[in-house]
């Protein structure tokens, strides 16, 4: 519980009318109050410095977390871009394959399937090439994802 100090009105305004004993008592009381205030001021200053240091430490931790999250977010955007490209390539290759197969089906009924078979084989070859490239990109994404996961697990709880 905080110490209650006497109000200034408690002390005489003019010490000339006081007897020596009353003057000594007032002086002693003022000295005790002043000493208590100085101790209180020192405690307050110490706590203020501790709070300032804690705020700086917190700011440093928050900056570290923000930097780590920004790097993870950047890696996630890079992986998303790779996935988007892969899906786009597969979609194009699949559309080509479906279109050429449809043309082959129409040409087969009119006995004009020769040129359509060539284009169908070309579409299948393109699809296989894109599929193989996609699998390689997928392996790179999986490796990158595992690296991100390991880095998050390594730092989890240390900066928070």
């Amino acid at each position: 519980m905080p110490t209650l100090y006497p109000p200034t009105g408690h002390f005489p305004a003019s010490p000339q009318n006081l007897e020596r004993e009353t003057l000594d008592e007032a002086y002693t009381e003022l000295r005790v109050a002043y000493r208590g205030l100085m101790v209180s001021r020192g405690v307050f200053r110490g706590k203020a410095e501790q709070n300032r240091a804690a705020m700086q430490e917190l700011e440093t931790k928050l900056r570290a977390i923000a930097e780590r999250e920004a790097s993870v977010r950047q890696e996630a955007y890079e992986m998303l871009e790779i996935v988007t490209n892969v899906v786009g390539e597969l979609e194009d290759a699949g559309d080509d394959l479906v279109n050429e197969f449809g043309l082959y089906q129409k040409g087969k009924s009119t006995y004009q399937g020769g040129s359509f078979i060539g284009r169908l084989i070309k579409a299948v070859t393109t699809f296989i090439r894109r599929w193989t490239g996609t699998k390689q990109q997928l392996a790179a994404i999986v490796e990158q994802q595992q690296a991100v996961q390991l880095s998050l697990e390594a730092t989890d709880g240390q900066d928070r």
Side-chain angles (χ1 to χ4, degrees):
M1 181 165 188
T3 305
L4 297 177
Y5 297 105
T8 55
H10 177 74
F11 300 101
S14 174
Q16 286 132 359
N17 300 336
L18 297 176
E19 295 178 12
R20 182 68 189 178
E21 188 176 312
T22 308
L23 188 60
D24 287 344
E25 287 175 13
Y27 173 79
T28 304
E29 198 174 335
L30 280 172
R31 190 169 194 290
V32 168
Y34 179 74
R35 185 172 187 273
L37 287 173
M38 293 306 288
V39 168
S40 176
R41 181 176 178 228
V43 169
F44 175 76
R45 180 177 271 170
K47 287 195 185 258
E49 289 174 5
Q50 284 177 346
N51 289 341
R52 198 171 305 120
M55 288 295 290
Q56 288 175 343
E57 183 180 340
L58 180 62
E59 181 181 357
T60 303
K61 285 183 178 182
L62 287 174
R63 287 186 190 278
I65 289 170
E67 289 173 6
R68 187 181 77 218
E69 295 297 324
S71 69
V72 168
R73 184 173 289 130
Q74 178 65 30
E75 291 172 354
Y77 282 130
E78 290 171 1
M79 287 190 287
L80 180 61
E81 184 177 350
I82 292 171
V83 168
T84 304
N85 291 339
V86 165
V87 169
E89 286 182 13
L90 284 179
E91 185 178 8
D92 291 344
D95 288 345
D96 290 346
L97 192 58
V98 168
N99 291 337
E100 293 303 325
F101 186 72
L103 291 174
Y104 167 73
Q105 288 292 81
K106 286 182 185 176
K108 192 167 75 170
S109 63
T110 62
Y111 300 105
Q112 298 174 352
S115 65
F116 296 115
I117 289 176
R119 288 196 302 238
L120 180 61
I121 297 295
K122 184 178 177 184
V124 169
T125 306
T126 302
F127 183 81
I128 290 171
R129 185 173 12 91
R130 287 183 177 170
W131 179 256
T132 306
T134 299
K135 286 176 70 174
Q136 291 171 350
Q137 287 179 335
L138 181 62
I141 290 172
V142 169
E143 287 178 20
Q144 193 172 12
Q145 182 185 18
Q146 289 173 348
V148 167
Q149 186 67 29
L150 288 175
S151 72
L152 286 176
E153 289 174 359
T155 59
D156 193 25
Q158 293 178 3
D159 292 339
R160 295 181 186 201

